[in-house]
C-alpha cells in the first residue's frame, strides 16, 4: 500500500493511472455511539467466535472471489491481500484463505521478480499497470503463508512463502546509512531517486512477522533488518510530538521526513504502534509517543499530525485507528481496552482491518487488557 | 492553591514554565521526604556552609563525585539536552502552561490540538521542542513518586532497574532525579549524623550546599550539631542564626533555639535568641525558651552546685515569674536549687510554696527532706507518712527517717503505734533497708525472736552482707543452730564476714557479740596488742563515745593510733564518732577503707548510713 494514502504521486519512478487516488483516507462516519450499541459484556477476553463472526462479515463486505477490496480507494493491493490472508488463517478459514491466496498468486505475482504487483484496478486493463511491489504486502503475504503452513500442515504454503522471502531479501533489502533496511519497493526509493537520499517507510516493518521470516530466509539477516527498523523508529521522532513521518529519508543520519512527501504522521505510520505492540519487541519507550494519541476520556484523536509544527490535522477516520492506539496503551501501561472497541463494526476497509488486527494482537499478546 | 500561588509569586513572569510545573507538582503526593517546595524561593537561599574555609572536608573526595558513578538514575541520556533551545521572543507572550501540562500527562492528542490552537493565534510562535522531555509515562512516574514518598529509596532504585530492564533508554524525569539524589544524600547525611560521624555529615553538606534550605531544617540542625561536635562552634552559631533569620516556620525556629540550647552553653544561646527576635514580626516566641534555659541552668545547678552560677538578676526574674505564674514545678526546681546550696530554710519555703499551688509529690519530698535537714524530724516523719502512697520515693524517705531513728546508737523506745505504722510501710515497700533496720532495732533491744523474721524478709527482698549477718547473729542469739548453719551455708561463700561467724558456732556459749554493737565490739577488741597505754586509751575512747563526747573520743583514738595499730572495732568506733559529728564524708571514707580491708557487718552498715547522709536525694535501697 504505497501511493494511495501517501501522495506517492510525485514520485517519478512510479506512474499512477489515477491521480485522484492521492487522497487521504476519508472518514467513515462510523460514530462511537453506533459502536457501543453492540458492546460486549464486560468479561475477561473476547466472546468465543468473535473473530470468525467478524471475518465472515469482513469477507461479505470486502472480499470478492479472493480479491480484497479497498472500498475507499476502489482498488485492491498486495497489502490488502496479505491482511485478508492473515485474518483468514487466524480465523481458521482455510477455504477463504485458499481463495485469497489463489487470486493473489494469479493476479499479483505476475512478475519475474517473484514479488507481488502492489496494486490491481478493476477498471484498468490490464488490471495491473505498475509492476512495482510494496514490500509490506509481500511480507504480510509471506507471514500469512507461513502461519497457514504451520496451522494446516501444508508444505506448499511454506514453499511459496520461502520464495517470497527470498525475493524480498534479494530485491527489497539494502544497506543504508542507517544499517540493513527493508526498502519500500523494488523501484523508486533508492538514494539516486531522491535529493535527500534513500526513502523508507517504517510502517512496512511488520515486526510480528519477522520472527517467522528469520526462520525461513536465513540468507538474509532479518534480525539486523528488525534492529534497523527499531533504531530508525527511535531516531525518527519529529516535531515536538516525537512522531515518525510516513516516509523518511535516510540519506544522512539522523533520518528526516522525506522531502518528496508531506511531512506528516499519517495513515501509513499509524500502523507502527500496532506492529510494535504485537511483536515481542521489549521496547515500550518506542510506544510512548503513540500511546497518547487518543484521549479516550474526551474521545479526542488520533490525529494526523503536521510534523513541521506538531499541530493536529484531521482526526483519523475510523474506529480501527483508536483500536491501534488502545493496543499501544495496553502494551505500555496494561491499560484495559475501552469497551467501545471490543466489537468490530464494518467501516471502511483500512480501519476495519486494523481493528481486527488490533484485537488479534491483544488476544495473542495481552489478554489481560481484554 | 496556596502552594501554587507561592511558587508563582516567587518565580516571576520570566519563567513561563512555572505554571505547568506548579500544576504538575500539585498532583503529586509529596510526602515526608519531598514535602519541600518545588523550587527554592529567594527566602530560602541555601546556607553557604563554605563561606568559611572548611578544614575538615578538605582532604576528602566529595560525595557527589563518588555517587555519580553508581547512581542508577543518572545514566547518560543520549543526544538529548535538558537545556531548552532559544526560541523566538514570541514564546514569552504565549501561555504554554496547558501545553506543558498535557505533555506531562503524555496526552499527545491534546498537545497536538493545543499546538494547532496556539499556532493559529500566534503564527510566529514555535512550539517548544522539549515538551515531552519531561513527559513521563504517568503511571510509571506516579509509582516512583509513591515509593519515593515512603522514603524507600532502595525500592525506587529497584523499580527503576525493573523499568530499565524492558526499556533501556527510559529515564526518570530530571525533577525526580534531582529529588532522588537529594534524598539519597539526605539519607547519607542523616545516617552519618545518627552514627555521630560528624566528619561525614560535614563533607556531605559541604559538597551539596543546596541541601541547606529552610524546606529541610532538620538537615541544617544535624549539620550544626556536627559543627559543634567538631569544635566549630562559630560556624554552628552562624548556621543557627541563618535558620533564625531566614526560615519562616515559627515551630522550627523555636526548635532551633531548643536544639542549640542542648548543644551550646547558655552564653551562646542568648545571642541567638536576640537574633531571632530581631526578625520582623517575631513576638515573644522565644520567651518559653529563655525560661527553659534558665530552668535548665537552675536544674543543673541543683544537681551540681559547682556549675556555672546563675546571674542573680536572672534568678530573681525566674523567681518572680514562678511566683506570678504559680508554677509549682518551677518552685520545686528552685527548692532543689536552694537545697543543693544547703540553704534549707529557703528550700523549705519554695517546696512549701509549690505544695500550696499543686499537689506535687516532689514538692512534698523536698519539703520533708528540708525539714529533716533542719532537725525537724517529727514533722518530716508525719509529712512523709501522710504522703507515703503518692510516690515511692516519699515512702522510702519515710522509711529512711524511721530507719535512722531505729538504728540510732542509743535508740529511743518506740511507741507501738509508730512501730506498727513503720512496719506496714516497710512491708508495702518491701524495703530491704527498712526491714533490716527493724531487724537491728529488735536485735539491739534484745528481741531476737522479732529480729529474725525481719532479717529474713530483708534477705529475701535483697540479700546483702549486713542483713545476712543480722539474720545469722539473730539465729545465733536465739540458739537456732539450724537457721544459723543454713544462713552460713547459703551466704558464707559470698560474704566473708558471714563465713567468719563460724567461730560463734564452735563456741556457742562465748560472749563478745550482741548488745550495742559499737560499744561491745569496740571495747572487746580494743586492748589486745597495744600494751597498757593503748588499752587504756581504747577504753577511754569507748567511754567518751558512750557519753556522746565524740570529739574527745576521736582525739583519744588519734592518740592511741600513735602508739598502736587501730583494730577494726576501734576503727568502727572512729567511723561512728565522725558520723555523729556530721562529718559524713569522713565517716564514709573511714568505713569504706575498713570495708576494703575486711568487709564486715559493721563496715557495711557504717558505709551505708554515712553514704545515705551524703546523698539524701538518692537513698540507696
Amino acid at each position: 500500500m504505497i501511493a494511495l494514502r501517501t501522495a506517492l504521486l510525485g514520485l517519478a519512478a512510479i506512474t499512477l493511472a489515477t491521480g485522484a487516488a492521492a487522497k487521504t483516507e476519508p472518514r467513515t462516519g462510523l460514530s462511537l455511539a453506533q459502536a457501543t450499541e453492540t458492546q460486549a459484556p464486560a468479561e475477561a477476553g473476547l466472546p468465543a467466535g468473535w473473530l470468525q463472526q467478524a471475518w465472515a462479515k469482513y469477507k461479505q463486505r470486502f472480499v470478492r472471489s479472493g480479491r480484497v477490496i479497498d472500498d475507499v480507494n476502489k482498488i485492491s493491493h498486495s497489502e490488502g491481500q496479505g491482511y485478508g490472508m492473515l485474518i483468514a488463517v487466524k480465523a481458521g478459514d482455510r477455504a477463504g484463505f485458499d481463495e485469497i491466496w489463489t487470486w493473489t498468486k494469479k493476479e499479483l505475482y505476475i512478475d519475474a521478480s517473484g514479488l507481488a504487483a502492489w496494486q490491481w484496478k478493476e477498471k484498468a486493463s490490464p488490471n495491473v499497470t505498475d509492476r512495482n511491489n510494496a514490500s509490506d504486502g509481500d511480507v504480510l503475504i509471506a507471514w500469512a503463508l507461513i502461519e497457514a503452513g504451520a496451522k494446516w500442515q501444508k508444505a506448499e504454503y511454506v514453499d511459496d512463502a520461502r520464495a517470497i522471502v527470498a525475493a524480498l531479501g534479494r530485491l527489497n533489502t539494502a544497506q543504508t546509512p542507517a544499517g540493513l533496511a527493508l526498502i519500500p519497493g523494488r523501484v523508486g526509493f533508492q538514494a539516486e531517486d531522491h535529493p535527500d537520499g534513500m526513502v523508507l517507510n517504517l510502517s512496512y516493518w511488520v515486526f510480528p512477522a519477522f520472527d517467522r521470516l528469520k526462520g525461513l530466509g536465513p540468507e538474509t539477516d532479518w534480525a539486523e533488518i528488525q534492529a534497523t527498523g527499531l533504531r530508525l523508529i527511535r531516531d525518527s521522532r519529529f516535531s515536538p510530538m516525537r512522531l515518525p513521518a510516513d516516509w523518511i529519508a535516510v540519506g544522512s543520519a539522523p533520518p528526516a521526513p522525506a522531502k518528496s512527501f508531506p511531512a506528516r504522521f499519517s495513515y501509513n505510520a499509524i500502523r507502527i504502534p500496532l506492529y510494535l505492540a504485537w511483536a515481542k519487541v521489549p521496547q515500550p519507550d518506542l510506544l510512548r509517543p503513540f500511546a497518547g494519541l487518543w484521549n479516550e476520556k474526551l474521545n479526542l484523536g488520533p490525529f494526523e499530525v503536521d510534523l513541521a509544527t506538531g499541530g493536529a490535522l484531521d482526526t483519523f477516520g475510523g474506529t480501527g485507528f483508536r483500536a491501534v492506539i488502545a493496543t499501544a496503551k495496553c502494551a505500555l501501561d496494561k491499560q484495559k481496552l475501552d469497551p467501545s472497541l471490543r466489537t468490530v463494526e464494518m467501516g471502511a476497509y483500512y480501519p476495519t482491518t486494523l481493528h481486527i488486527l488490533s484485537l488479534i494482537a491483544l488476544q495473542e499478546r495481552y489478554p489481560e487488557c481484554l | 492553591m496556596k502552594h501554587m500561588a507561592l511558587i508563582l509569586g516567587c518565580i516571576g513572569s520570566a519563567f513561563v514554565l512555572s505554571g505547568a510545573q506548579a500544576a504538575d507538582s500539585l498532583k503529586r503526593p509529596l510526602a515526608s521526604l519531598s514535602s519541600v517546595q518545588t523550587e527554592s524561593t529567594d527566602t530560602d537561599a541555601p546556607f553557604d556552609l563554605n563561606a568559611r574555609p572548611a578544614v575538615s572536608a578538605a582532604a576528602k573526595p566529595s560525595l557527589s563525585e563518588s555517587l555519580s558513578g553508581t547512581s542508577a538514575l543518572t545514566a547518560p541520556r543520549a543526544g538529548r539536552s535538558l537545556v531548552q533551545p532559544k526560541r523566538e521572543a514570541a514564546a514569552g507572550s504565549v501561555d504554554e502552561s496547558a501545553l506543558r501540562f498535557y505533555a506531562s500527562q503524555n496526552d499527545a492528542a491534546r498537545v497536538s490540538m493545543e499546538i494547532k490552537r496556539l499556532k493559529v493565534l500566534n503564527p510566529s510562535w514555535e512550539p517548544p521542542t522539549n515538551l515531552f522531555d519531561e513527559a513521563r509515562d504517568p503511571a510509571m512516574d506516579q509509582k516512583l513518586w509513591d515509593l519515593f514518598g515512603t522514603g524507600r529509596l532502595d525500592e525506587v532504585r529497584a523499580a527503576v532497574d525493573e523499568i530499565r530492564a524492558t526499556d533501556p533508554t527510559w529515564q526518570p524525569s530530571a525533577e525526580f532525579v534531582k529529588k532522588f539524589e537529594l534524598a539519597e544524600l539526605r539519607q547519607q547525611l542523616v545516617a552519618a549524623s545518627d552514627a555521630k560521624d560528624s566528619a561525614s555529615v560535614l563533607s556531605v553538606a559541604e559538597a551539596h550546599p543546596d541541601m541547606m534550605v529552610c524546606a529541610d531544617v532538620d538537615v541544617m540542625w544535624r549539620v550544626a550539631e556536627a559543627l559543634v561536635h567538631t569544635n566549630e562552634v562559630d560556624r554552628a552559631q552562624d548556621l543557627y542564626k541563618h535558620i533564625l533569620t531566614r526560615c519562616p516556620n515559627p515551630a522550627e525556629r523555636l526548635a532551633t533555639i531548643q536544639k542549640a540550647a542542648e548543644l551550646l552553653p547558655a552564653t551562646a544561646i542568648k545571642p541567638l535568641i536576640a537574633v531571632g527576635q530581631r526578625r520582623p514580626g517575631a513576638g515573644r516566641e522565644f520567651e518559653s525558651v529563655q525560661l527553659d534555659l534558665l530552668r535548665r541552668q537552675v536544674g543543673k545547678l541543683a544537681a551540681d552546685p559547682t556549675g556555672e552560677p546563675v546571674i542573680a538578676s536572672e534568678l530573681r526574674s525566674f523567681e518572680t515569674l514562678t511566683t506570678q505564674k504559680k508554677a509549682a514545678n518551677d518552685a520545686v526546681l528552685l527548692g532543689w536549687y536552694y537545697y543543693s546550696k544547703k540553704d534549707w530554710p529557703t528550700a523549705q519555703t519554695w517546696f512549701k510554696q509549690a505544695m500550696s499551688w499543686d499537689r506535687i509529690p516532689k514538692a512534698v519530698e523536698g519539703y520533708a527532706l528540708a525539714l529533716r535537714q533542719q532537725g525537724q524530724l517529727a514533722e518530716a516523719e508525719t509529712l512523709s507518712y501522710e504522703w507515703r502512697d503518692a510516690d515511692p520515693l516519699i515512702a522510702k524517705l519515710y522509711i529512711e527517717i524511721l530507719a535512722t531513728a531505729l538504728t540510732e546508737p542509743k535508740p529511743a523506745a518506740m511507741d507501738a503505734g509508730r512501730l506498727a505504722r513503720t512496719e506496714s510501710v516497710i512491708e508495702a515497700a518491701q524495703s530491704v533497708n527498712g526491714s533490716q533496720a527493724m531487724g537491728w532495732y529488735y536485735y539491739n533491744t534484745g528481741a531476737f525472736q522479732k529480729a529474725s523474721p525481719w532479717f529474713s524478709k530483708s534477705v529475701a527482698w535483697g540479700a546483702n552482707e549486713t542483713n545476712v549477718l543480722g539474720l545469722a547473729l539473730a539465729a545465733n542469739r536465739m540458739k537456732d543452730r539450724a537457721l544459723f548453719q543454713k544462713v552460713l551455708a547459703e551466704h558464707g561463700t559470698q560474704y566473708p564476714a558471714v563465713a567468719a561467724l563460724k567461730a560463734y558456732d564452735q563456741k556457742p556459749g562465748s560472749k563478745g557479740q550482741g548488745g550495742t554493737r559499737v560499744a561491745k565490739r569496740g571495747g572487746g577488741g580494743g586492748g589486745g596488742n597495744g600494751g597498757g597505754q593503748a588499752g587504756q586509751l581504747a577504753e577511754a575512747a569507748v567511754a567518751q563515745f558512750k557519753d556522746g563526747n565524740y570529739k574527745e573520743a576521736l582525739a583519744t583514738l588519734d592518740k592511741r593510733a600513735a602508739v598502736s595499730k587501730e583494730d577494726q572495732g576501734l576503727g568502727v568506733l572512729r567511723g561512728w564518732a565522725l558520723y555523729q559529728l556530721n562529718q559524713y564524708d569522713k565517716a564514709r571514707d573511714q568505713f569504706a577503707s575498713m570495708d576494703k580491708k575486711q568487709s564486715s557487718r559493721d563496715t557495711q552498715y557504717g558505709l551505708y548510713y554515712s553514704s545515705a547522709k551524703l546523698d539524701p536525694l538518692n537513698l540507696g535501697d
Side-chain angles (χ1 to χ4, degrees):
Chain A
M1 180 89 197
I2 301 175
L4 301 181
R5 290 194 284 270
T6 60
L8 191 57
L9 195 65
L11 271 179
I14 297 173
T15 50
L16 278 180
T18 53
K23 192 81 188 81
T24 54
E25 193 87 12
R27 299 184 198 210
T28 61
L30 181 71
S31 79
L32 191 64
Q34 280 172 302
T36 49
E37 259 176 285
T38 51
Q39 184 181 321
E43 59 188 55
L46 294 167
W50 73 270
L51 179 55
Q52 287 68 29
Q53 287 166 28
W55 173 237
K57 285 192 212 166
Y58 186 96
K59 271 203 297 188
Q60 195 181 12
R61 180 85 167 252
F62 305 114
V63 185
R64 296 286 175 272
S65 310
R67 180 166 77 91
V68 180
I69 300 166
D70 178 342
D71 54 345
V72 171
N73 295 305
K74 310 268 189 287
I75 60 166
S76 295
H77 33 62
S78 57
E79 167 217 275
Q81 298 304 116
Y83 283 146
M85 288 165 68
L86 191 61
I87 299 171
V89 68
K90 297 283 183 188
D93 175 12
R94 187 165 181 179
F97 176 86
D98 277 334
E99 196 177 27
I100 301 172
W101 173 227
T102 304
W103 185 93
T104 306
K105 211 169 169 176
K106 175 168 165 276
E107 298 290 332
L108 301 184
Y109 282 92
I110 54 175
D111 190 84
S113 65
L115 295 169
W118 75 274
Q119 72 158 348
W120 190 97
K121 284 176 279 191
E122 191 172 16
K123 301 255 167 72
S125 183
N127 301 106
V128 172
T129 52
D130 176 6
R131 290 198 172 201
N132 200 3
N133 79 313
S135 54
D136 70 327
D138 292 291
V139 168
L140 287 165
I141 291 165
W143 179 25
L145 283 167
I146 299 166
E147 295 286 330
K151 183 165 213 152
W152 295 307
Q153 304 293 310
K154 194 171 171 187
E156 203 185 320
Y157 293 147
V158 183
D159 291 341
D160 290 339
R162 190 176 291 114
I164 298 171
V165 173
L168 278 168
R170 210 166 46 242
L171 299 167
N172 277 173
T173 63
Q175 276 300 335
T176 73
L180 186 62
L182 180 69
I183 55 174
R186 289 203 316 280
V187 188
F189 302 96
Q190 301 298 330
E192 58 270 24
D193 300 323
H194 301 279
D196 46 350
M198 183 176 276
V199 168
L200 302 177
N201 186 319
L202 291 171
S203 76
Y204 284 16
W205 266 262
V206 185
F207 293 110
F210 276 55
D211 266 349
R212 293 294 206 182
L213 302 191
K214 281 176 210 164
L216 213 60
E219 68 279 6
T220 304
D221 191 347
W222 293 103
E224 167 62 17
I225 291 171
Q226 168 166 322
T228 302
L230 295 173
R231 200 161 50 240
L232 283 170
I233 292 171
R234 189 184 301 289
D235 292 341
S236 299
R237 294 186 164 185
F238 306 128
S239 90
M241 295 292 289
R242 305 170 303 162
L243 291 169
D246 275 3
W247 297 92
I248 61 168
V250 295
S252 60
K259 288 189 173 135
S260 310
F261 299 86
R264 279 186 191 171
F265 169 78
S266 186
Y267 284 89
N268 274 284
I270 187 69
R271 294 177 293 186
I272 293 171
L274 170 63
Y275 294 154
L276 284 173
W278 196 348
K280 288 169 181 156
V281 180
Q283 301 199 32
D285 62 313
L286 294 181
L287 279 168
R288 197 163 293 122
F290 303 100
L293 288 172
W294 176 44
N295 181 323
E296 69 270 42
K297 288 191 191 78
L298 305 173
N299 191 22
L300 190 70
F303 301 106
E304 288 179 89
V305 174
D306 170 14
L307 297 178
T309 62
L313 299 167
D314 291 333
T315 304
F316 280 100
T319 309
F321 302 109
R322 296 198 284 273
V324 169
I325 303 304
T327 305
K329 284 178 193 286
C330 161
L332 191 63
D333 294 333
K334 298 285 169 277
Q335 189 177 319
K336 279 254 179 199
L337 181 69
D338 191 280
S340 69
L341 299 172
R342 291 172 60 88
T343 310
V344 181
E345 292 298 315
M346 293 301 124
Y349 147 78
Y350 188 48
T352 306
T353 304
L354 292 183
H355 195 167
I356 293 175
L357 293 177
S358 294
L359 293 181
I360 292 173
L362 286 169
Q363 199 168 39
E364 289 183 354
R365 296 271 286 125
Y366 312 98
E368 66 272 24
C369 291
L370 292 170
Chain B
M1 282 320 288
K2 194 180 159 196
H3 181 60
M4 188 174 188
L6 178 78
I7 292 166
L8 291 175
C10 293
I11 293 174
S13 57
F15 262 95
V16 286
L17 319 187
S18 56
Q21 282 174 344
D24 201 26
S25 66
L26 273 178
K27 302 187 307 69
R28 289 178 183 148
L30 294 177
S32 57
L33 271 175
S34 52
S35 64
V36 288
Q37 282 100 345
T38 314
E39 297 291 332
S40 300
T41 65
D42 47 10
T43 60
D44 194 7
F47 176 75
D48 185 0
L49 192 60
N50 299 311
R52 296 179 190 208
V55 181
S56 63
K60 291 175 212 111
S62 107
L63 268 172
S64 73
E65 282 164 27
S66 55
L67 261 188
S68 59
T70 58
S71 174
L73 295 183
T74 50
R77 187 168 186 158
R80 199 166 312 163
S81 167
L82 286 179
V83 182
Q84 191 178 343
K86 271 196 174 174
R87 289 185 286 127
E88 291 301 306
S93 60
V94 174
D95 179 5
E96 295 172 352
S97 56
L99 194 61
R100 291 197 177 271
F101 178 72
Y102 298 146
S104 75
Q105 306 294 296
N106 199 31
D107 189 347
R110 286 215 272 188
V111 169
S112 63
M113 283 296 279
E114 181 70 3
I115 289 174
K116 182 181 174 182
R117 190 183 72 86
L118 292 174
K119 196 76 184 155
V120 168
L121 294 171
N122 311 276
S124 67
W125 170 79
E126 291 295 328
T129 56
N130 65 347
L131 266 183
F132 286 93
D133 278 1
E134 298 295 318
R136 329 286 337 144
D137 165 4
M140 227 175 244
D141 259 21
Q142 193 56 50
K143 184 184 161 197
L144 290 181
W145 281 110
D146 289 348
L147 279 177
F148 184 75
T150 63
R152 295 182 303 219
L153 301 188
D154 289 350
E155 290 183 33
V156 172
R157 273 192 188 284
V160 168
D161 288 346
E162 200 180 301
I163 296 167
R164 285 261 174 77
T166 57
D167 181 354
T169 62
W170 183 87
Q171 293 280 348
S173 70
E175 186 200 356
F176 187 85
V177 171
K178 194 174 145 201
K179 288 260 168 67
F180 179 86
E181 286 177 347
L182 204 57
E184 216 174 32
L185 285 167
R186 185 187 197 284
Q187 211 174 51
Q188 283 191 2
L189 186 144
V190 169
S193 167
D194 287 345
K196 305 282 172 225
D197 178 1
S198 300
S200 297
V201 170
L202 294 179
S203 77
V204 173
E206 279 159 0
H208 302 277
D210 52 339
M211 298 177 80
M212 312 280 280
V213 290
C214 291
D216 195 350
V217 173
D218 184 51
V219 159
M220 289 198 275
W221 288 337
R222 288 172 183 275
V223 171
E225 184 180 352
L227 287 170
V228 172
H229 289 325
T230 49
N231 293 322
E232 302 212 52
V233 174
D234 287 352
R235 289 171 80 200
Q237 192 91 326
D238 286 347
L239 182 46
Y240 286 129
K241 280 181 190 164
H242 171 86
I243 300 172
L244 291 168
T245 50
R246 306 298 282 276
C247 299
N249 183 333
E252 285 172 353
R253 289 152 47 73
L254 183 58
T256 300
I257 296 274
Q258 284 163 342
K259 290 195 181 276
E262 280 167 27
L263 296 167
L264 300 174
T267 47
I269 304 308
K270 281 165 197 163
L272 288 183
I273 292 176
V275 163
Q277 276 171 338
R278 275 205 297 276
R279 191 186 151 82
R284 299 151 68 88
E285 59 179 320
F286 299 129
E287 193 182 62
S288 63
V289 185
Q290 281 170 303
L291 200 59
D292 265 350
L293 272 179
L294 212 47
R295 203 171 269 143
R296 255 187 24 208
Q297 213 183 342
V298 170
K300 231 158 102 184
L301 282 171
D304 174 17
T306 62
E308 191 191 339
V310 194
I311 296 168
S313 63
E314 288 184 350
L315 184 62
R316 267 198 303 282
S317 71
F318 183 54
E319 289 181 347
T320 308
L321 264 174
T322 300
T323 308
Q324 270 172 11
K325 296 187 172 177
K326 299 194 177 190
N329 280 314
D330 287 341
V332 170
L333 196 61
L334 284 164
W336 292 124
Y337 171 72
Y338 285 108
Y339 190 95
S340 76
K341 295 180 90 75
K342 297 193 167 40
D343 182 350
W344 319 123
T346 314
Q348 182 187 339
T349 307
W350 280 111
F351 285 129
K352 187 159 193 186
Q353 191 71 272
M355 286 167 69
S356 74
W357 292 333
D358 201 353
R359 290 178 58 84
I360 303 176
K362 274 283 157 205
V364 178
E365 188 194 344
Y367 186 56
L369 279 166
L371 286 171
R372 183 182 172 212
Q373 291 289 4
Q374 298 173 87
Q376 295 167 280
L377 294 176
E379 292 90 333
E381 184 184 328
T382 308
L383 188 69
S384 56
Y385 180 74
E386 235 173 71
W387 283 75
R388 67 192 181 280
D389 294 331
D391 188 329
L393 282 177
I394 298 179
K396 207 166 163 183
L397 173 61
Y398 171 77
I399 293 167
E400 164 66 8
I401 291 168
L402 267 297
T404 308
L406 288 168
T407 55
E408 285 292 321
K410 292 175 280 184
M414 294 253 178
D415 71 65
R418 193 172 169 213
L419 265 183
R421 281 203 299 275
T422 307
E423 288 182 1
S424 78
V425 177
I426 289 169
E427 287 273 7
Q430 304 204 340
S431 165
V432 174
N433 282 314
S435 50
Q436 188 184 176
M438 290 306 301
W440 289 118
Y441 172 76
Y442 286 123
Y443 186 94
N444 289 341
T445 53
F448 306 113
Q449 296 289 348
K450 284 186 178 175
S452 166
W454 279 110
F455 282 128
S456 285
K457 281 177 193 171
S458 186
V459 169
W461 291 334
N464 58 41
E465 196 175 60
T466 56
N467 59 20
V468 172
L469 265 174
L471 183 56
L473 288 171
N476 183 47
R477 295 300 295 262
M478 292 187 300
K479 304 203 179 353
D480 184 345
R481 296 202 58 210
L483 178 60
F484 182 81
Q485 279 163 353
K486 181 170 171 261
V487 174
L488 259 64
E490 280 176 12
H491 300 282
T493 47
Q494 195 181 352
Y495 304 115
V498 175
L501 289 179
K502 244 184 187 150
Y504 293 157
D505 195 31
Q506 286 158 359
K507 298 179 278 176
S510 86
K511 288 192 173 183
Q513 74 247 217
T516 44
R517 62 193 189 287
V518 178
K520 278 281 163 76
R521 300 198 72 188
N529 43 15
Q533 192 198 356
Q536 280 170 14
L537 285 170
E539 275 173 27
V542 170
Q544 283 159 341
F545 185 94
K546 275 183 165 179
D547 295 340
N549 298 327
Y550 306 115
K551 259 191 194 160
E552 289 79 359
L554 275 181
T556 309
L557 283 173
D558 286 346
K559 269 189 214 160
R560 188 197 168 278
V563 295
S564 178
K565 193 167 175 274
E566 193 165 284
D567 70 3
Q568 202 192 32
L570 291 176
V572 168
L573 187 73
R574 176 186 291 278
W576 286 114
L578 289 164
Y579 180 94
Q580 294 296 345
L581 291 167
N582 291 341
Q583 298 181 28
Y584 302 120
D585 47 350
K586 285 186 186 164
R588 183 181 60 182
D589 292 347
Q590 169 71 10
F591 286 122
S593 82
M594 287 196 298
D595 192 62
K596 210 172 165 190
K597 275 183 220 147
Q598 193 197 341
S599 184
S600 72
R601 180 200 57 148
D602 288 325
T603 59
Q604 288 274 332
Y605 203 64
L607 193 55
Y608 169 76
Y609 277 105
S610 51
S611 299
K613 279 288 184 188
L614 283 171
D615 187 12
L617 299 184
N618 183 22
L619 301 166
D621 198 349

